[in-house]
Amino acid sequence: MSRILIIEDEDSIADLEKDYLELSAFEVEVKHDGVEGLQSALEGNFDLIILDLMLPGADGFEICKKVREVKDTPIIMVSAKKDDIDKIRGLGLGADDYMTKPFSPSELVARVKAHLSRFERLTANGRPRNEVIEIRGLKIDRTARRIWVNDEEKQFTTKEFDLLAFLASNPNHVYSKEELFKNIWDMESVGDIATVTVHIKKIREKIEMDSSNPQYIETIWGVGYRFKI
Ligand code: CA
């Protein structure tokens, strides 16, 4: 299900947009001011943003610009003034579409669908989505090299990340410490397989609720480790 973020301070308009989009089976979240809206746009995982121009806190210009610095999420900007729409176009902020209020909700839904399918084609063709592994509360973005545990981002060293990503990419496969050392450290004899043990311990401290009863990386006594799914 596609997720839509509406940033709109007028309740009646926000409600109308939300109702129509939900009827079309979209999941919708509404933010009523610019600051909260910007935060959600940057941190949330939305497929499209409907952005009002005049907002308390931060206006649509600023939000659009900041989102574009980091994300390609399609943005439909809406404004009550036709002149403003022309101005936004002129600024080239990177919005994907513009609508002047009042507009028919069904037209909004049609445009949302069009932009979502266009964006999907784009990402499928030239800009692949990040390679993400999600297992229970653990999320590993291999492309961005970032890890979250129950939505909280955790910091990993390069080797900790490589080791965890390797194990999670090959679940239910038991690897000996020697194999892991060879795969991750890429040197057969330099170093010490105890390094693997130390790194597993550090990873567990970051991802496990209870390191002594691990839910992700299981110790197979006398053999090595296995990532459980
Ligand atoms: Ca407004």
Side-chain angles (χ1 to χ4, degrees):
M1 189 192 290
S2 295
R3 299 184 70 226
I4 315 281
L5 173 65
I6 296 173
I7 309 176
E8 170 63 71
D9 59 326
E10 281 172 70
D11 288 345
S12 58
I13 294 176
D15 288 348
L16 187 69
E17 292 174 353
K18 185 171 190 281
D19 288 349
Y20 269 80
L21 288 164
E22 284 179 346
L23 279 173
S24 298
F26 292 111
E27 195 180 315
V28 182
E29 198 171 313
V30 178
K31 293 292 172 196
H32 297 277
D33 80 78
V35 177
E36 276 187 21
L38 176 60
Q39 194 184 353
S40 294
L42 293 175
E43 292 170 8
N45 192 17
F46 293 98
D47 299 296
L48 186 141
I49 300 165
I50 298 170
L51 177 60
D52 183 32
L53 183 61
M54 299 308 289
L55 291 162
D59 68 20
F61 292 112
E62 192 184 336
I63 295 172
C64 187
K65 190 164 162 270
K66 291 211 165 131
V67 172
R68 270 295 165 269
E69 283 169 8
V70 288
K71 286 189 176 186
D72 292 329
T73 316
I75 298 175
I76 299 178
M77 289 194 81
V78 297
S79 171
K81 289 192 209 151
K82 171 96 178 37
D83 291 355
D84 284 340
I85 297 286
D86 293 338
K87 196 168 145 200
I88 311 168
R89 279 184 201 277
L91 284 172
L93 291 172
D96 297 83
D97 205 352
Y98 311 90
M99 295 182 80
T100 311
K101 291 193 245 184
F103 46 77
S104 83
S106 48
E107 190 192 341
L108 176 70
V109 171
R111 292 206 194 185
V112 165
K113 285 182 179 168
H115 283 288
L116 285 173
S117 56
R118 181 177 157 269
F119 189 68
E120 264 168 34
R121 280 199 307 279
L122 273 177
T123 47
N125 291 338
R127 297 179 293 175
R129 286 179 186 275
N130 283 11
E131 190 188 339
V132 176
I133 302 168
E134 272 193 277
I135 298 152
R136 299 185 291 278
L138 177 66
K139 180 173 158 188
I140 304 167
D141 185 332
R142 296 196 64 175
T143 315
R145 295 184 67 88
R146 296 171 74 185
I147 295 176
W148 291 263
V149 179
N150 296 322
D151 291 330
E152 189 191 333
E153 187 167 5
K154 304 277 181 171
Q155 300 306 315
F156 284 73
T157 65
T158 307
K159 291 301 178 197
E160 286 167 9
F161 182 92
D162 290 343
L163 181 56
L164 176 58
F166 177 78
L167 285 166
S169 304
N170 299 281
N172 291 333
H173 186 127
V174 181
Y175 290 97
S176 67
K177 289 175 191 170
E178 289 81 2
E179 283 173 317
L180 291 172
F181 188 76
K182 201 177 152 188
N183 266 292
I184 307 304
W185 278 264
D186 203 26
M187 6 174 200
E188 275 194 62
S189 53
V190 185
D192 180 338
I193 57 163
T195 310
V196 176
T197 317
V198 172
H199 278 71
I200 293 280
K201 182 169 178 287
K202 290 198 172 141
I203 293 168
R204 279 181 175 153
E205 283 165 6
K206 294 174 192 180
I207 66 170
E208 300 282 359
M209 292 282 283
D210 175 6
S211 291
S212 60
N213 180 26
Q215 300 303 305
Y216 296 107
I217 301 174
E218 198 178 13
T219 302
I220 311 296
W221 293 108
V223 188
Y225 300 100
R226 169 171 65 191
F227 193 92
K228 283 199 282 189
I229 56 168

